[in-house]
Amino acid sequence: MSAAETAMLIAGERLEGTEGAVRGIDPRSGETIEPAFGGATEADVDRAARAAADAARTFRATAPEARAVFLETIASEIEALGDALIDRAMTETGLPQARLQGERGRTCGQLRLFARVVRDGGWMDVRIDPAQPDRQPLPRPDMRLAKLAIGPVAVFGASNFPLAFSVAGGDTASAFAAGCPVVAKAHSAHPGTSALMGGAIARAVAACGMPAGTFSLLYGADYRVGEWLVAHPAIKAVGFTGSRGGGTALMQIAASRPEPIPVYAEMSSINPVLLFPGAIAARGAAIAAAYVASLAMGAGQFCTNPGLVVLIEGSGDTAFREAVAGGIAATPAATMLTPGIHGAYLKGVEALRARGVAPLAAGGTSANPHDATAAVFETDADALLADPALRDEIFGPAGLVVRCPDVATAARLLEGLEGQLTIALHMEAADHALAADLMPLIVEKAGRILVNGFGTGVEVAPAMVHGGPYPSTSDGRSTSVGTLAIDRFLRPVCYQDMPEGLLPAALRDDNPCRIPRRIDGTLTLPA
Ligand code: NAP
């Protein structure tokens, strides 16, 4: 990579970071990857945030069509990076080529999906309540509501999705779609990948004539860059995917600002899988095979990884457990994303052993320094209820199977769980009555409830919810995947008795944006 490519990007300018240096590490070999990326100073953060604030007013007011073209141009620029992007991401993350190619497709697909969302205009949730001058006892004013961009957003890239959840990932795409400038903090595990993605966005900003401060990209040699960014008064919201510790630290900074701001952090989830007796009896071995595949996929480094299986006992349990043991034993060791994540995985597995939890199966080992061996443990409901630490997320290919004698025990167990991204139910028709008893509890615990499947593999689609009650996310009213993600970066504004010429285009009588609007309470589509 050239010197220019390793520099920060602040409002279209390349600047050399001087506050320490960030270097990727090839997790397959443990070797440091050159060159270094200079870390931002507090002054650099200030400059990027101020530039974003300067851009916010113009960018918010861009026509939906112009923003849609901008999103599509970013996607084209990412595609134009070609193999260089995939090669760099492979070196920095150890993820296989096919996975990264698929992730690039997903990244560009979600940018284009948000372009369609922007054009549709439904996201503005326009409501027009015309004046009723003759209403008694008091006249009603003319009121017009539109959801508008909240302002500059700080985006923290995720380690486990170097493309789809990082610099040009879902948080950035939804912030841009809403009309919010982005200051991205690159994840230190993949600075080169971040630089390539940031360059693609910068070229799209220039090509589409967007204000320069619409996008900046910073590197942080330590956590201070993220802290400065979240504390900066120009930043109005935060998008984050990562650890619970990181997410809650940023939430605290955001909440203690003179002007607190929302943090949309996706953090920690063990994604319970409930196995009902009818399903286990009918197809226990097949469920076991699918479970092992989901648990081990991508070295288990998915936020939707099935960390906890609740086995409601009945006939067939033995076949299920034997099939899990066989499947895990045949699972090769796999490289994890970073030395830190690998270390945390080893600690998590060791902690289960130290608490006396029985191993059910272990996968293959490897001499590579950051490879994880898959592991499944088993225990009973009483042990899980007695020890909250057994419900902690272990990020990686480790799972815990909990035997429950009946649905009432499963209910107690669910009651004790924290909020989750997903809960999966495996059931036959004969199990539906049992499941119905649990549904009121399940719906309180998860953002996505799925049947006869596993939460890994998150569709980017209008009906997707990738969110859930705390601590799976910091704000369970939102999703970070799917078109509803745009809502996180919007704020409703009501214009009362505003002259037509001063209204945003979306609220004018002639509906120049040709968007759906709710007029006097009735949804009205453009003619
Ligand atoms: P992370 O350590 O939370 O890092 C995410 C981002 O936040 C990075 O940019 C990091 O900076 C920054 N950061 C972390 N702690 C911070 C703090 N206290 N103050 C300011 N900035 C902070 O997450 P990770 O590296 O992606 O993975 C580590 C763990 O996260 C995993 O073991 C797993 O438990 C969890 N994880 C969960 C999910 C999920 O979706 N639920 C996804 C990925 C990871 P640096 O770049 O300087 O490190």
Side-chain angles (χ1 to χ4, degrees):
M1 292 189 111
S2 69
E5 283 173 311
T6 63
M8 297 176 294
L9 256 169
I10 300 185
E13 268 189 72
R14 294 274 181 188
L15 289 168
E16 209 52 61
T18 54
E19 188 78 25
V22 178
R23 286 183 177 81
I25 293 175
D26 184 337
R28 294 166 297 190
S29 62
E31 282 171 17
T32 301
I33 306 166
E34 295 297 341
F37 294 74
T41 61
E42 190 168 10
D44 295 327
V45 172
D46 179 58
R47 193 164 159 184
R50 282 175 190 272
D54 286 347
R57 287 180 192 148
T58 318
F59 190 53
R60 177 187 295 125
T62 47
E65 179 59 25
R67 279 218 299 288
V69 170
F70 172 50
L71 289 161
E72 289 164 346
T73 307
I74 298 172
S76 302
E77 288 288 348
I78 291 170
E79 286 163 350
L81 292 168
D83 290 343
L85 175 69
I86 302 299
D87 293 348
R88 182 75 194 195
M90 281 171 70
T91 310
E92 290 184 331
T93 64
L95 292 171
Q97 186 183 47
R99 148 75 200 268
L100 289 165
Q101 286 168 337
E103 197 181 320
R104 176 177 56 191
R106 175 184 168 151
T107 309
C108 295
Q110 76 192 353
L111 284 159
R112 293 189 171 112
L113 176 64
F114 274 109
R116 282 192 5 232
V117 169
V118 176
R119 284 192 178 101
D120 170 86
W123 55 275
M124 280 186 262
D125 199 3
V126 166
R127 294 144 193 246
I128 298 180
D129 300 332
Q132 294 174 354
D134 300 330
R135 191 182 69 172
Q136 293 299 329
L138 288 172
R140 183 174 84 172
D142 179 281
M143 292 176 295
R144 298 171 186 233
L145 175 154
K147 288 189 177 172
L148 302 176
I150 195 168
V153 176
V155 169
F156 287 76
S159 59
N160 58 342
F161 279 92
L163 307 179
F165 265 96
S166 280
V167 171
D171 286 343
T172 297
S174 51
F176 282 161
C180 297
V182 166
V183 181
K185 150 67 180 77
H187 197 290
S188 51
H190 52 257
T193 309
S194 301
L196 291 169
M197 297 293 264
I201 299 177
R203 283 190 290 281
V205 168
C208 296
M210 294 297 165
T214 299
F215 177 72
S216 292
L217 171 64
L218 306 172
Y219 303 95
D222 54 47
Y223 290 161
R224 284 177 305 159
V225 168
E227 292 166 358
W228 291 327
L229 190 55
V230 174
H232 197 286
I235 297 296
K236 299 300 177 196
V238 179
F240 169 96
T241 300
S243 66
R244 188 167 176 171
T248 52
L250 297 178
M251 284 166 69
Q252 275 164 18
I253 294 170
S256 56
R257 293 167 34 130
E259 179 201 356
I261 54 170
V263 176
Y264 296 100
E266 196 222 294
M267 299 178 288
S268 169
S269 182
I270 55 173
N271 307 296
V273 177
L274 306 188
L275 303 184
F276 288 91
I280 290 293
R283 48 194 166 83
I287 295 172
Y291 162 62
V292 170
S294 176
L295 186 78
M297 185 164 74
Q301 299 165 116
F302 289 105
C303 34
T304 47
N305 196 47
L308 180 70
V309 168
V310 180
L311 182 62
I312 303 169
E313 288 178 317
S315 56
D317 304 359
T318 308
F320 170 78
R321 291 165 61 251
E322 283 174 2
V324 169
I328 289 291
T331 300
T335 306
M336 298 199 83
L337 291 158
T338 68
I341 287 176
H342 179 250
Y345 177 70
L346 294 182
K347 259 171 85 177
V349 170
E350 193 43 51
L352 277 187
R353 283 206 190 93
R355 299 185 103 80
V357 185
L360 173 61
T365 56
S366 143
N368 289 346
H370 305 121
D371 278 11
T373 294
V376 173
F377 293 80
E378 64 177 333
T379 188
D380 58 32
D382 288 339
L384 196 84
L385 284 162
D387 188 352
L390 301 185
R391 302 166 221 160
D392 288 347
E393 179 187 40
I394 300 176
F395 194 66
L400 180 60
V401 174
V402 182
R403 297 179 305 274
C404 278
D406 49 37
V407 167
T409 310
R412 277 200 299 135
L413 203 147
L414 274 175
E415 191 82 65
L417 293 182
E418 297 181 305
Q420 305 291 333
L421 292 171
T422 69
I423 292 182
L425 315 177
H426 286 258
M427 56 189 181
E428 295 287 295
D431 297 315
H432 290 186
L434 294 178
D437 290 343
L438 294 179
M439 282 308 287
L441 184 53
I442 288 171
V443 79
E444 285 178 13
K445 294 284 177 181
R448 180 161 60 109
I449 304 158
L450 56 146
V451 172
N452 293 337
F454 292 88
T456 41
V458 181
E459 286 290 327
V460 182
M464 174 51 66
V465 173
H466 190 61
Y470 188 88
S472 66
T473 64
S474 54
D475 186 338
R477 294 167 298 177
S478 64
T479 173
S480 58
V481 178
T483 57
L484 195 60
I486 192 174
D487 219 39
R488 298 172 300 168
F489 304 126
L490 296 169
R491 187 172 68 80
V493 178
C494 174
Y495 295 79
Q496 188 170 321
D497 289 332
M498 188 66 63
E500 174 89 356
L502 295 179
L503 285 168
L507 295 180
R508 292 186 193 145
D509 283 340
D510 57 349
N511 193 7
C513 302
R514 300 187 47 75
I515 58 174
R517 311 195 296 183
R518 197 165 285 281
I519 298 179
D520 226 354
T522 301
L523 185 64
T524 311
L525 300 175

Short mmCIF file of all heavy atoms in Angstrom, two decimals, residues 81-134:
data_model
loop_
_atom_site.label_atom_id
_atom_site.label_comp_id
_atom_site.label_asym_id
_atom_site.label_seq_id
_atom_site.Cartn_x
_atom_site.Cartn_y
_atom_site.Cartn_z
N LEU A 81 -12.51 -2.17 -6.69
CA LEU A 81 -11.27 -2.50 -5.97
C LEU A 81 -10.77 -3.88 -6.35
O LEU A 81 -9.58 -4.19 -6.18
CB LEU A 81 -11.50 -2.43 -4.45
CG LEU A 81 -11.76 -1.04 -3.87
CD1 LEU A 81 -12.26 -1.14 -2.43
CD2 LEU A 81 -10.48 -0.19 -3.92
N GLY A 82 -11.69 -4.73 -6.80
CA GLY A 82 -11.31 -6.05 -7.31
C GLY A 82 -10.64 -6.94 -6.28
O GLY A 82 -10.93 -6.87 -5.08
N ASP A 83 -9.69 -7.75 -6.74
CA ASP A 83 -9.06 -8.75 -5.88
C ASP A 83 -8.20 -8.13 -4.77
O ASP A 83 -7.96 -8.76 -3.74
CB ASP A 83 -8.17 -9.67 -6.71
CG ASP A 83 -9.01 -10.57 -7.61
OD1 ASP A 83 -10.22 -10.71 -7.34
OD2 ASP A 83 -8.45 -11.13 -8.57
N ALA A 84 -7.74 -6.90 -4.99
CA ALA A 84 -6.87 -6.28 -3.98
C ALA A 84 -7.58 -6.21 -2.63
O ALA A 84 -6.98 -6.44 -1.57
CB ALA A 84 -6.46 -4.88 -4.43
N LEU A 85 -8.89 -5.93 -2.68
CA LEU A 85 -9.66 -5.84 -1.43
C LEU A 85 -9.74 -7.21 -0.75
O LEU A 85 -9.49 -7.34 0.46
CB LEU A 85 -11.07 -5.32 -1.72
CG LEU A 85 -12.02 -5.27 -0.53
CD1 LEU A 85 -11.58 -4.20 0.46
CD2 LEU A 85 -13.46 -5.00 -0.97
N ILE A 86 -10.06 -8.22 -1.53
CA ILE A 86 -10.23 -9.56 -0.96
C ILE A 86 -8.88 -10.07 -0.43
O ILE A 86 -8.81 -10.63 0.68
CB ILE A 86 -10.79 -10.53 -2.04
CG1 ILE A 86 -12.12 -10.00 -2.59
CG2 ILE A 86 -10.92 -11.95 -1.49
CD1 ILE A 86 -13.24 -9.87 -1.59
N ASP A 87 -7.82 -9.83 -1.18
CA ASP A 87 -6.49 -10.31 -0.75
C ASP A 87 -6.09 -9.65 0.57
O ASP A 87 -5.60 -10.32 1.49
CB ASP A 87 -5.43 -9.98 -1.82
CG ASP A 87 -5.67 -10.80 -3.09
OD1 ASP A 87 -6.48 -11.74 -3.05
OD2 ASP A 87 -5.07 -10.45 -4.13
N ARG A 88 -6.31 -8.34 0.65
CA ARG A 88 -5.92 -7.64 1.88
C ARG A 88 -6.76 -8.14 3.07
O ARG A 88 -6.24 -8.38 4.15
CB ARG A 88 -6.13 -6.13 1.69
CG ARG A 88 -5.72 -5.29 2.87
CD ARG A 88 -4.20 -5.19 2.96
NE ARG A 88 -3.80 -4.68 4.26
CZ ARG A 88 -2.58 -4.22 4.54
NH1 ARG A 88 -1.64 -4.22 3.63
NH2 ARG A 88 -2.28 -3.78 5.74
N ALA A 89 -8.06 -8.30 2.85
CA ALA A 89 -8.93 -8.75 3.94
C ALA A 89 -8.56 -10.17 4.38
O ALA A 89 -8.58 -10.49 5.57
CB ALA A 89 -10.39 -8.67 3.52
N MET A 90 -8.20 -11.01 3.43
CA MET A 90 -7.78 -12.38 3.80
C MET A 90 -6.54 -12.34 4.70
O MET A 90 -6.46 -13.05 5.69
CB MET A 90 -7.46 -13.19 2.53
CG MET A 90 -8.67 -13.72 1.82
SD MET A 90 -8.24 -14.43 0.22
CE MET A 90 -7.36 -15.90 0.73
N THR A 91 -5.58 -11.48 4.32
CA THR A 91 -4.34 -11.41 5.09
C THR A 91 -4.61 -10.89 6.50
O THR A 91 -4.04 -11.37 7.48
CB THR A 91 -3.33 -10.47 4.39
OG1 THR A 91 -3.24 -10.86 3.04
CG2 THR A 91 -1.97 -10.54 5.02
N GLU A 92 -5.50 -9.91 6.60
CA GLU A 92 -5.70 -9.27 7.91
C GLU A 92 -6.65 -10.05 8.83
O GLU A 92 -6.62 -9.86 10.04
CB GLU A 92 -6.25 -7.85 7.72
CG GLU A 92 -5.20 -6.90 7.14
CD GLU A 92 -5.69 -5.46 7.02
OE1 GLU A 92 -6.90 -5.24 6.85
OE2 GLU A 92 -4.84 -4.55 7.09
N THR A 93 -7.51 -10.88 8.25
CA THR A 93 -8.53 -11.54 9.09
C THR A 93 -8.42 -13.06 9.12
O THR A 93 -9.02 -13.70 9.98
CB THR A 93 -9.96 -11.23 8.58
OG1 THR A 93 -10.11 -11.79 7.28
CG2 THR A 93 -10.22 -9.73 8.53
N GLY A 94 -7.70 -13.64 8.17
CA GLY A 94 -7.64 -15.10 8.09
C GLY A 94 -8.93 -15.71 7.54
O GLY A 94 -9.06 -16.92 7.47
N LEU A 95 -9.89 -14.88 7.17
CA LEU A 95 -11.14 -15.41 6.63
C LEU A 95 -10.91 -15.92 5.21
O LEU A 95 -10.11 -15.36 4.46
CB LEU A 95 -12.24 -14.33 6.63
CG LEU A 95 -12.72 -13.89 8.01
CD1 LEU A 95 -13.63 -12.67 7.91
CD2 LEU A 95 -13.45 -15.02 8.72
N PRO A 96 -11.61 -17.00 4.83
CA PRO A 96 -11.38 -17.56 3.50
C PRO A 96 -11.88 -16.67 2.37
O PRO A 96 -12.79 -15.84 2.57
CB PRO A 96 -12.17 -18.88 3.52
CG PRO A 96 -12.78 -19.00 4.85
CD PRO A 96 -12.56 -17.76 5.63
N GLN A 97 -11.31 -16.88 1.19
CA GLN A 97 -11.62 -16.05 0.02
C GLN A 97 -13.12 -16.05 -0.31
O GLN A 97 -13.72 -14.99 -0.53
CB GLN A 97 -10.82 -16.57 -1.18
CG GLN A 97 -10.93 -15.72 -2.41
CD GLN A 97 -10.18 -16.33 -3.58
OE1 GLN A 97 -10.31 -17.53 -3.85
NE2 GLN A 97 -9.39 -15.53 -4.24
N ALA A 98 -13.72 -17.25 -0.32
CA ALA A 98 -15.13 -17.34 -0.74
C ALA A 98 -16.02 -16.58 0.24
O ALA A 98 -16.97 -15.89 -0.15
CB ALA A 98 -15.56 -18.79 -0.83
N ARG A 99 -15.69 -16.67 1.53
CA ARG A 99 -16.48 -15.95 2.53
C ARG A 99 -16.39 -14.44 2.29
O ARG A 99 -17.40 -13.73 2.33
CB ARG A 99 -15.97 -16.33 3.93
CG ARG A 99 -16.06 -15.27 5.01
CD ARG A 99 -17.46 -15.05 5.56
NE ARG A 99 -17.54 -13.75 6.22
CZ ARG A 99 -17.32 -13.53 7.51
NH1 ARG A 99 -17.04 -14.53 8.30
NH2 ARG A 99 -17.41 -12.32 8.02
N LEU A 100 -15.17 -13.97 1.99
CA LEU A 100 -15.00 -12.52 1.80
C LEU A 100 -15.63 -12.05 0.50
O LEU A 100 -16.18 -10.95 0.44
CB LEU A 100 -13.51 -12.15 1.88
CG LEU A 100 -12.95 -12.26 3.30
CD1 LEU A 100 -11.43 -12.25 3.29
CD2 LEU A 100 -13.47 -11.11 4.18
N GLN A 101 -15.58 -12.89 -0.51
CA GLN A 101 -16.25 -12.51 -1.77
C GLN A 101 -17.75 -12.40 -1.53
O GLN A 101 -18.41 -11.48 -2.00
CB GLN A 101 -15.93 -13.53 -2.86
CG GLN A 101 -14.52 -13.39 -3.37
CD GLN A 101 -14.07 -14.57 -4.24
OE1 GLN A 101 -14.62 -15.67 -4.13
NE2 GLN A 101 -13.07 -14.35 -5.07
N GLY A 102 -18.29 -13.35 -0.77
CA GLY A 102 -19.72 -13.29 -0.44
C GLY A 102 -20.04 -12.05 0.38
O GLY A 102 -21.06 -11.38 0.17
N GLU A 103 -19.14 -11.73 1.31
CA GLU A 103 -19.38 -10.56 2.16
C GLU A 103 -19.32 -9.26 1.35
O GLU A 103 -20.07 -8.32 1.61
CB GLU A 103 -18.35 -10.54 3.30
CG GLU A 103 -18.77 -9.62 4.41
CD GLU A 103 -17.77 -9.56 5.54
OE1 GLU A 103 -17.20 -10.61 5.91
OE2 GLU A 103 -17.55 -8.45 6.06
N ARG A 104 -18.43 -9.24 0.35
CA ARG A 104 -18.39 -8.04 -0.53
C ARG A 104 -19.73 -7.90 -1.27
O ARG A 104 -20.27 -6.80 -1.37
CB ARG A 104 -17.24 -8.17 -1.53
CG ARG A 104 -17.20 -7.01 -2.52
CD ARG A 104 -16.01 -7.12 -3.45
NE ARG A 104 -15.98 -8.41 -4.15
CZ ARG A 104 -14.96 -8.86 -4.85
NH1 ARG A 104 -13.86 -8.14 -4.95
NH2 ARG A 104 -15.00 -10.03 -5.46
N GLY A 105 -20.26 -9.03 -1.75
CA GLY A 105 -21.55 -8.99 -2.44
C GLY A 105 -22.63 -8.47 -1.51
O GLY A 105 -23.47 -7.65 -1.90
N ARG A 106 -22.59 -8.92 -0.27
CA ARG A 106 -23.58 -8.48 0.70
C ARG A 106 -23.44 -6.97 0.99
O ARG A 106 -24.42 -6.24 1.08
CB ARG A 106 -23.38 -9.29 1.99
CG ARG A 106 -24.25 -8.85 3.12
CD ARG A 106 -23.93 -9.65 4.36
NE ARG A 106 -24.56 -9.03 5.50
CZ ARG A 106 -24.96 -9.65 6.57
NH1 ARG A 106 -24.80 -10.94 6.68
NH2 ARG A 106 -25.52 -9.01 7.57
N THR A 107 -22.19 -6.53 1.09
CA THR A 107 -21.92 -5.11 1.38
C THR A 107 -22.47 -4.22 0.26
O THR A 107 -23.16 -3.22 0.52
CB THR A 107 -20.40 -4.88 1.53
OG1 THR A 107 -19.90 -5.84 2.46
CG2 THR A 107 -20.08 -3.48 1.98
N CYS A 108 -22.16 -4.61 -0.97
CA CYS A 108 -22.63 -3.80 -2.11
C CYS A 108 -24.14 -3.94 -2.24
O CYS A 108 -24.84 -2.96 -2.55
CB CYS A 108 -21.92 -4.23 -3.39
SG CYS A 108 -20.14 -3.90 -3.30
N GLY A 109 -24.66 -5.13 -1.97
CA GLY A 109 -26.10 -5.35 -2.03
C GLY A 109 -26.83 -4.48 -1.03
O GLY A 109 -27.88 -3.89 -1.34
N GLN A 110 -26.27 -4.33 0.17
CA GLN A 110 -27.00 -3.52 1.17
C GLN A 110 -26.89 -2.03 0.85
O GLN A 110 -27.82 -1.26 1.10
CB GLN A 110 -26.64 -3.89 2.60
CG GLN A 110 -25.35 -3.42 3.16
CD GLN A 110 -25.03 -4.12 4.48
OE1 GLN A 110 -25.83 -4.85 5.05
NE2 GLN A 110 -23.84 -3.90 4.98
N LEU A 111 -25.79 -1.61 0.24
CA LEU A 111 -25.71 -0.21 -0.20
C LEU A 111 -26.78 0.06 -1.25
O LEU A 111 -27.47 1.08 -1.23
CB LEU A 111 -24.31 0.08 -0.76
CG LEU A 111 -23.21 0.24 0.30
CD1 LEU A 111 -21.83 0.00 -0.31
CD2 LEU A 111 -23.25 1.64 0.93
N ARG A 112 -26.94 -0.88 -2.18
CA ARG A 112 -27.95 -0.70 -3.25
C ARG A 112 -29.36 -0.82 -2.68
O ARG A 112 -30.29 -0.14 -3.14
CB ARG A 112 -27.70 -1.70 -4.37
CG ARG A 112 -26.39 -1.40 -5.09
CD ARG A 112 -26.17 -2.22 -6.34
NE ARG A 112 -25.01 -1.72 -7.07
CZ ARG A 112 -23.86 -2.39 -7.22
NH1 ARG A 112 -23.72 -3.61 -6.72
NH2 ARG A 112 -22.86 -1.84 -7.88
N LEU A 113 -29.53 -1.69 -1.69
CA LEU A 113 -30.85 -1.79 -1.06
C LEU A 113 -31.21 -0.46 -0.39
O LEU A 113 -32.34 0.04 -0.51
CB LEU A 113 -30.84 -2.92 -0.02
CG LEU A 113 -32.13 -3.09 0.79
CD1 LEU A 113 -33.29 -3.49 -0.11
CD2 LEU A 113 -31.94 -4.17 1.87
N PHE A 114 -30.24 0.15 0.30
CA PHE A 114 -30.53 1.44 0.93
C PHE A 114 -30.78 2.54 -0.10
O PHE A 114 -31.53 3.48 0.16
CB PHE A 114 -29.43 1.83 1.92
CG PHE A 114 -29.66 1.23 3.28
CD1 PHE A 114 -28.86 0.21 3.77
CD2 PHE A 114 -30.73 1.65 4.06
CE1 PHE A 114 -29.11 -0.38 5.00
CE2 PHE A 114 -30.98 1.08 5.30
CZ PHE A 114 -30.18 0.06 5.76
N ALA A 115 -30.18 2.41 -1.28
CA ALA A 115 -30.50 3.37 -2.35
C ALA A 115 -31.99 3.26 -2.69
O ALA A 115 -32.68 4.28 -2.87
CB ALA A 115 -29.64 3.09 -3.58
N ARG A 116 -32.49 2.03 -2.76
CA ARG A 116 -33.92 1.85 -3.06
C ARG A 116 -34.78 2.42 -1.94
O ARG A 116 -35.82 3.05 -2.17
CB ARG A 116 -34.24 0.36 -3.25
CG ARG A 116 -33.79 -0.10 -4.59
CD ARG A 116 -34.28 -1.47 -5.03
NE ARG A 116 -35.22 -2.20 -4.24
CZ ARG A 116 -35.06 -3.46 -3.84
NH1 ARG A 116 -33.95 -4.11 -4.14
NH2 ARG A 116 -35.98 -4.08 -3.16
N VAL A 117 -34.33 2.19 -0.71
CA VAL A 117 -35.07 2.72 0.45
C VAL A 117 -35.15 4.24 0.38
O VAL A 117 -36.21 4.82 0.59
CB VAL A 117 -34.36 2.29 1.77
CG1 VAL A 117 -34.92 3.03 2.97
CG2 VAL A 117 -34.47 0.79 1.95
N VAL A 118 -34.03 4.87 0.07
CA VAL A 118 -34.00 6.34 0.03
C VAL A 118 -34.98 6.84 -1.03
O VAL A 118 -35.76 7.77 -0.78
CB VAL A 118 -32.58 6.86 -0.27
CG1 VAL A 118 -32.60 8.38 -0.41
CG2 VAL A 118 -31.63 6.48 0.83
N ARG A 119 -34.97 6.20 -2.19
CA ARG A 119 -35.87 6.64 -3.28
C ARG A 119 -37.33 6.46 -2.89
O ARG A 119 -38.18 7.29 -3.19
CB ARG A 119 -35.60 5.82 -4.54
CG ARG A 119 -34.34 6.21 -5.26
CD ARG A 119 -34.27 5.59 -6.64
NE ARG A 119 -33.06 6.03 -7.32
CZ ARG A 119 -31.96 5.29 -7.43
NH1 ARG A 119 -31.91 4.07 -6.92
NH2 ARG A 119 -30.90 5.77 -8.04
N ASP A 120 -37.62 5.38 -2.19
CA ASP A 120 -39.02 5.08 -1.81
C ASP A 120 -39.60 6.17 -0.90
O ASP A 120 -40.76 6.54 -1.04
CB ASP A 120 -39.04 3.71 -1.10
CG ASP A 120 -40.36 3.44 -0.46
OD1 ASP A 120 -41.25 2.92 -1.16
OD2 ASP A 120 -40.53 3.76 0.75
N GLY A 121 -38.80 6.69 0.00
CA GLY A 121 -39.22 7.82 0.83
C GLY A 121 -40.09 7.47 2.03
O GLY A 121 -40.32 8.33 2.88
N GLY A 122 -40.54 6.21 2.11
CA GLY A 122 -41.39 5.82 3.24
C GLY A 122 -40.69 6.02 4.58
O GLY A 122 -41.34 6.22 5.62
N TRP A 123 -39.33 5.95 4.57
CA TRP A 123 -38.55 6.10 5.79
C TRP A 123 -38.76 7.46 6.46
O TRP A 123 -38.56 7.59 7.65
CB TRP A 123 -37.06 5.89 5.49
CG TRP A 123 -36.54 6.81 4.42
CD1 TRP A 123 -36.59 6.61 3.07
CD2 TRP A 123 -35.91 8.08 4.59
NE1 TRP A 123 -36.03 7.66 2.38
CE2 TRP A 123 -35.60 8.58 3.29
CE3 TRP A 123 -35.56 8.84 5.70
CZ2 TRP A 123 -34.97 9.81 3.10
CZ3 TRP A 123 -34.94 10.06 5.51
CH2 TRP A 123 -34.66 10.53 4.22
N MET A 124 -39.19 8.45 5.68
CA MET A 124 -39.40 9.78 6.29
C MET A 124 -40.67 9.82 7.12
O MET A 124 -40.88 10.75 7.89
CB MET A 124 -39.45 10.85 5.19
CG MET A 124 -38.08 11.25 4.70
SD MET A 124 -38.18 12.63 3.54
CE MET A 124 -38.10 11.75 2.00
N ASP A 125 -41.52 8.81 6.93
CA ASP A 125 -42.74 8.68 7.74
C ASP A 125 -43.55 9.98 7.74
O ASP A 125 -44.00 10.47 8.79
CB ASP A 125 -42.34 8.28 9.17
CG ASP A 125 -43.52 7.68 9.93
OD1 ASP A 125 -44.60 7.52 9.35
OD2 ASP A 125 -43.34 7.39 11.14
N VAL A 126 -43.72 10.55 6.55
CA VAL A 126 -44.36 11.87 6.45
C VAL A 126 -45.82 11.81 6.89
O VAL A 126 -46.57 10.93 6.48
CB VAL A 126 -44.25 12.41 5.00
CG1 VAL A 126 -45.17 13.60 4.79
CG2 VAL A 126 -42.80 12.79 4.70
N ARG A 127 -46.19 12.73 7.74
CA ARG A 127 -47.59 12.87 8.20
C ARG A 127 -48.00 14.33 8.01
O ARG A 127 -47.29 15.22 8.46
CB ARG A 127 -47.70 12.52 9.69
CG ARG A 127 -47.41 11.06 9.98
CD ARG A 127 -46.68 10.92 11.31
NE ARG A 127 -46.16 9.57 11.42
CZ ARG A 127 -46.59 8.68 12.30
NH1 ARG A 127 -47.52 9.01 13.18
NH2 ARG A 127 -46.07 7.47 12.34
N ILE A 128 -49.12 14.52 7.36
CA ILE A 128 -49.62 15.88 7.15
C ILE A 128 -51.02 15.96 7.74
O ILE A 128 -51.93 15.23 7.31
CB ILE A 128 -49.62 16.24 5.65
CG1 ILE A 128 -48.17 16.18 5.12
CG2 ILE A 128 -50.25 17.61 5.42
CD1 ILE A 128 -48.01 16.50 3.65
N ASP A 129 -51.17 16.80 8.75
CA ASP A 129 -52.48 17.02 9.36
C ASP A 129 -52.91 18.43 8.99
O ASP A 129 -52.49 19.40 9.64
CB ASP A 129 -52.39 16.88 10.89
CG ASP A 129 -51.91 15.50 11.31
OD1 ASP A 129 -52.14 14.53 10.54
OD2 ASP A 129 -51.29 15.38 12.38
N PRO A 130 -53.72 18.58 7.91
CA PRO A 130 -54.06 19.93 7.43
C PRO A 130 -54.78 20.74 8.51
O PRO A 130 -55.43 20.19 9.41
CB PRO A 130 -54.98 19.66 6.24
CG PRO A 130 -54.74 18.24 5.85
CD PRO A 130 -54.36 17.53 7.10
N ALA A 131 -54.66 22.04 8.36
CA ALA A 131 -55.30 22.94 9.33
C ALA A 131 -56.82 22.75 9.30
O ALA A 131 -57.41 22.43 8.26
CB ALA A 131 -54.96 24.38 8.97
N GLN A 132 -57.44 22.92 10.45
CA GLN A 132 -58.91 22.94 10.54
C GLN A 132 -59.30 24.26 11.20
O GLN A 132 -59.49 24.33 12.43
CB GLN A 132 -59.40 21.73 11.36
CG GLN A 132 -59.11 20.41 10.67
CD GLN A 132 -59.47 19.19 11.53
OE1 GLN A 132 -59.84 19.33 12.69
NE2 GLN A 132 -59.35 18.03 10.94
N PRO A 133 -59.36 25.32 10.39
CA PRO A 133 -59.58 26.66 10.97
C PRO A 133 -60.94 26.79 11.64
O PRO A 133 -61.10 27.62 12.55
CB PRO A 133 -59.48 27.60 9.77
CG PRO A 133 -59.51 26.73 8.56
CD PRO A 133 -59.18 25.34 8.94
N ASP A 134 -61.89 25.95 11.23
CA ASP A 134 -63.24 26.09 11.78
C ASP A 134 -63.51 25.14 12.95
O ASP A 134 -64.64 25.05 13.43
CB ASP A 134 -64.28 25.83 10.68
CG ASP A 134 -64.12 26.82 9.54
OD1 ASP A 134 -63.68 27.96 9.83
OD2 ASP A 134 -64.36 26.44 8.38
#
